[in-house]
């Protein structure tokens, strides 16, 4: 099966590139990607977060209602209730703003997560709706309020300044969600679990990141994609909800093509290629450059070759705040030179 459109989601591809180029003068070379940038139509995107981009690919046009889909992925029934993600995080005071470290770097055990959730529910359960730890790294809150939750998805907040990403832009102390966050932080600050973590030299879970509120909607008919490839829990939940067949991320574009040739249904295909996401979030340029070199060799260069041969009809790359679209005609735009990574603009 040849996809009518191949959607390639690459979170972390452009997030740090402008500042790295300004600070270091370059971010290495990626000939395959540079060719795609030169031959394709580049556009800006308002949906920077990968969580939002995933929702859009599945036909969800408003917000980023990730919580019910993550429940599906993690084996919990969302029912008809409204849920929000309430992920455990560590906030550190920076020179100008608070900086967020997500749970992947906190080494939080299942027992610690259960104890912290129990303390939160003991103090806030009646007023908040109740917290639940689906995994040590991912918690949720059952919603009892109709107040809109407009904080940014976790991927945008991770490793960065968070003030403008908080509910209401973090500017109103009387905002309902800001008040709840203040109460949460007070409970966590007094927690026995955090005192014991401090004694072991581990960072405290001193806040939660509230985001992704929503109710599970009716599934789309027909499914919006012919197939999807990737390993992220949100993608798993969206596929389970929509009836889209999900397979693990292939090791390279050649393996992807082999998997597609074994399928008969035609239609758009989605690949979530996310190895750059954490390296960009935590400002690790050396690891990012090494990973990009590998992705260029195993994904971008082979996809360039398939566009040149006319095997791939259309490629759309969705990466942070930039979009890139190429069709078979890209091979004939000989006057368009490769576009270096530090050549900004859209």
């Amino acid at each position: 099966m040849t996809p009518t459109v191949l959607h390639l989601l690459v979170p972390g591809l452009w997030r740090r590139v402008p500042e790295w180029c300004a600070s270091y003068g370059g971010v290495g070379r990626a000939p395959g990607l540079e060719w795609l940038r030169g031959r394709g139509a580049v556009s800006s995107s308002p949906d920077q977060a990968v969580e939002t981009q995933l929702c859009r690919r599945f036909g969800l046009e408003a917000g980023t209602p990730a919580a019910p889909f993550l429940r599906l992925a993690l084996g919990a029934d969302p029912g008809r209730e409204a849920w929000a993600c309430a992920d455990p995080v560590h906030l550190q005071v920076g020179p100008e703003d608070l900086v967020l470290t997500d749970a992947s770097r906190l080494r939080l055990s299942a027992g610690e997560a259960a104890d912290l959730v129990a303390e939160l529910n003991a103090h806030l359960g009646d007023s908040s709706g109740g917290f639940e730890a689906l995994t040590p790294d991912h918690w949720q809150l059952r919603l009892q309020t109709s107040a809109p939750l407009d904080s940014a998805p976790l991927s945008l907040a991770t490793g960065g300044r968070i003030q403008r990403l908080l509910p209401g832009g973090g500017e109103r102390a009387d905002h309902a969600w800001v008040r709840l966050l203040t109460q949460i932080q007070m409970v966590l600050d007094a927690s026995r679990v955090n005192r014991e973590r401090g004694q072991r030299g581990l960072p405290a879970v001193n806040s939660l990141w509230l985001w992704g509120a929503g109710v599970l909607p009716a599934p789309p008919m027909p499914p919006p994609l012919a197939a999807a490839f990737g390993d992220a829990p949100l993608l798993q939940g969206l596929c389970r909800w929509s009836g889209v067949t999900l397979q693990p991320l292939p090791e390279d574009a050649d393996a992807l093509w082999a998997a597609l040739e074994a399928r008969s249904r035609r239609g758009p295909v989605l690949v979530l290629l996310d190895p750059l996401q954490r390296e960009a979030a935590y400002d690790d340029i050396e690891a990012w450059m090494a990973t990009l070199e590998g992705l260029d060799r195993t994904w971008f260069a082979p996809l360039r070759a398939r566009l040149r041969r006319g095997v791939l009809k259309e490629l759309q790359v969705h990466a942070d705040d930039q979009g890139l679209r190429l069709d078979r005609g890209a091979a004939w735009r000989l006057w368009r030179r490769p576009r270096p990574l530090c050549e900004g603009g859209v």
Side-chain angles (χ1 to χ4, degrees):
M1 181 264 285
T2 300
T4 53
V5 182
L6 177 59
H7 294 280
L8 191 65
L9 270 64
V10 196
L13 180 57
W14 301 120
R15 175 175 177 175
R16 299 280 186 182
V17 166
E19 64 185 85
W20 284 343
C21 289
S23 298
Y24 305 113
V27 291
R29 298 299 305 276
L33 177 58
E34 291 173 13
W35 186 91
L36 296 176
R37 291 193 79 208
R39 298 294 179 95
V42 183
S43 61
S44 61
S45 170
D47 300 322
Q48 297 183 33
V50 62
E51 299 95 338
T52 307
Q53 292 173 353
L54 282 171
C55 288
R56 298 296 178 268
R57 300 280 75 75
F58 282 83
L60 300 167
E61 297 300 331
T64 310
F69 302 105
L70 285 165
R71 291 188 71 80
L72 282 179
L74 298 172
D77 181 9
R80 296 184 178 180
E81 296 179 287
W83 298 91
C85 302
D87 291 310
V89 299
H90 175 77
L91 300 182
Q92 183 174 0
V93 178
E96 301 176 0
D97 200 346
L98 294 172
V99 177
L100 183 148
T101 299
D102 75 344
S104 68
R105 294 195 166 194
L106 299 185
R107 295 163 54 189
L108 189 63
S109 71
E112 289 174 324
D115 289 346
L116 286 167
V117 164
E119 292 182 25
L120 287 167
N121 285 330
H123 288 83
L124 305 174
D126 291 340
S127 61
S128 68
F131 296 89
E132 181 180 350
L134 299 181
T135 71
D137 291 354
H138 181 66
W139 306 357
Q140 292 204 349
L141 171 65
R142 181 185 287 105
L143 297 183
Q144 291 184 332
T145 175
S146 59
L149 179 57
D150 58 354
S151 50
L154 180 63
S155 69
L156 283 186
T158 298
R161 301 173 179 178
I162 67 166
Q163 184 68 27
R164 63 182 179 82
L165 305 177
L166 288 163
E171 296 180 355
R172 290 178 48 199
D174 62 342
H175 192 289
W177 289 107
V178 175
R179 290 200 308 269
L180 177 59
L181 276 172
T182 300
Q183 294 175 306
I184 288 169
Q185 290 165 359
M186 291 173 64
V187 173
L188 293 173
D189 183 64
S191 169
R192 169 189 57 81
V193 174
N194 277 326
R195 288 197 301 272
E196 293 175 352
R197 286 177 61 85
Q199 292 168 1
R200 301 198 308 273
L202 297 174
V205 178
N206 58 10
S207 191
L208 304 182
W209 191 255
L210 304 175
W211 68 282
V215 177
L216 190 71
M221 293 296 292
L225 300 167
F229 296 81
D231 306 312
L234 179 55
L235 178 58
Q236 295 171 18
L238 287 164
C239 287
R240 187 170 298 179
W241 163 72
S242 64
V244 171
T245 300
L246 176 65
Q247 297 184 46
L249 180 66
E251 62 181 12
D252 54 33
D254 292 336
L256 170 68
W257 230 253
L260 291 176
E261 288 175 351
R263 299 183 56 82
S264 58
R265 185 188 167 201
R266 293 176 56 80
V269 171
L270 170 68
V271 176
L272 176 57
L273 190 64
D274 55 2
L276 295 170
Q277 184 173 359
R278 308 212 68 75
E279 295 160 1
Y282 289 108
D283 202 9
D284 189 344
I285 185 173
E286 292 185 0
W288 184 93
M289 288 172 60
T291 300
L292 179 62
E293 182 181 0
L295 293 179
D296 196 67
R297 183 177 62 254
T298 57
W299 284 93
F300 297 124
L303 291 174
R304 173 188 61 184
R306 283 177 168 81
L307 281 165
R308 280 174 161 171
R309 298 200 306 268
V311 177
L312 177 56
K313 293 182 179 180
E314 182 177 338
L315 172 66
Q316 293 189 24
V317 181
H318 312 273
D320 306 319
D321 61 351
Q322 287 193 27
L324 177 63
R325 179 185 176 276
L326 301 98
D327 56 22
R328 287 173 170 171
W332 301 102
R333 300 184 186 108
L334 304 179
W335 64 93
R336 308 244 331 235
R337 62 178 179 81
R339 190 174 182 182
L341 304 184
C342 282
E343 186 177 306
V346 295

